[in-house]
Amino acid sequence: MSAALHHMMSWIIAWAHTPHATTALAVLAFAESSFFPIPPDVLLITLCLIDPTRSAWFALVCTLSSVLGGAFGYAIGRYGGRPLLERFVSETKIRAVERYYQRYDVWAVGIAGFTPIPYKVFTISAGTFLLPFKRFLAASALGRGGRFFLVAGLFFFFGEPIGDFVKKYLNLLSVLFAVLLVGGFATMHWWSKRQARSAATEPASSQEPS
């Protein structure tokens, strides 16, 4: 970690000990969804450590602000277009994002929102590729909310002793959950296709020869 990034993280964590801690969390969550490099988990974990009983409130603030920030990132991509996206994201990452969208549709945003995959890349690219905005918001809320409420729930039920575990294994837990999530989507997709094929063949089989 560079000295500048370390200094920035220390500055963010310091906000947890001020009367404006919740506001700082909201601003950080909003900014990280479109342009800021440090995820809000840093401040969220600190606040949950300080006051585990308010963990759900912190997670709610973080989720709503992050989704609003994602909508702002979507607008950046929507009105800035691919040339703007290419200024901030390498062509390799853009092609990788396109593959995610081709495979998972708008739910790629939800996966990115929950896992260590850079969420801001997906919010801006979602606008650039003109993904349906309402579905984008739904996927963002599920992904971001799942991640932040997972953290909050661990602190609420287990308190300070869980702190080191969360900080050490948060990304691993997120990836494992995302694997289960993708598996669920794949199962639903397979089942819906199977049902569609059954519905298509049923009329033909039900016809009797004259």
Side-chain angles (χ1 to χ4, degrees):
M1 181 186 302
S2 67
L5 192 59
H6 179 76
H7 177 75
M8 189 178 297
M9 289 183 64
S10 299
W11 175 73
I12 289 171
I13 291 173
W15 280 99
H17 305 283
T18 72
H20 309 291
T22 304
T23 302
L25 177 64
V27 172
L28 176 61
F30 181 94
E32 188 269 340
S33 296
S34 53
F35 61 88
F36 199 66
I38 297 179
D41 308 73
V42 174
L43 186 54
L44 176 63
I45 289 172
T46 305
L47 290 174
C48 290
L49 272 171
I50 294 173
D51 190 356
T53 61
R54 298 182 66 201
S55 295
W57 166 246
F58 295 138
L60 179 62
V61 170
C62 206
T63 299
L64 293 177
S65 302
S66 185
V67 172
L68 287 175
F72 179 68
Y74 182 99
I76 292 175
R78 171 68 178 82
Y79 297 105
R82 191 176 183 114
L84 180 62
L85 181 64
E86 291 174 346
R87 290 185 59 183
F88 299 99
V89 183
S90 68
E91 184 63 30
T92 301
K93 287 185 178 179
I94 292 175
R95 287 197 296 269
V97 169
E98 286 182 308
R99 287 195 295 270
Y100 271 106
Y101 285 141
Q102 290 168 0
R103 187 168 185 178
Y104 303 117
D105 192 48
V106 74
W107 295 110
V109 177
I111 295 171
F114 191 88
T115 63
I117 299 173
Y119 177 54
K120 63 182 70 62
V121 175
F122 281 80
T123 64
I124 297 174
S125 61
T128 302
F129 301 144
L130 302 178
L131 267 68
F133 184 64
K134 291 182 180 180
R135 294 174 63 203
F136 164 80
L137 287 180
S140 294
L142 287 173
R144 297 271 83 180
R147 181 179 178 94
F148 299 142
F149 276 95
L150 171 64
V151 173
L154 289 173
F155 280 101
F156 181 81
F157 289 107
F158 300 104
E160 186 175 345
I162 202 69
D164 291 337
F165 176 82
V166 171
K167 287 184 285 187
K168 186 174 182 179
Y169 295 109
L170 175 60
N171 285 340
L172 177 59
L173 290 171
S174 300
V175 171
L176 290 176
F177 185 87
V179 170
L180 294 176
L181 190 67
V182 172
F185 283 137
T187 302
M188 290 171 60
H189 180 68
W190 170 82
W191 179 256
S192 63
K193 288 182 67 175
R194 181 179 178 181
Q195 291 296 97
R197 286 196 299 267
S198 298
T201 56
E202 186 175 334
S205 61
S206 61
Q207 292 179 355
E208 297 181 0
S210 57

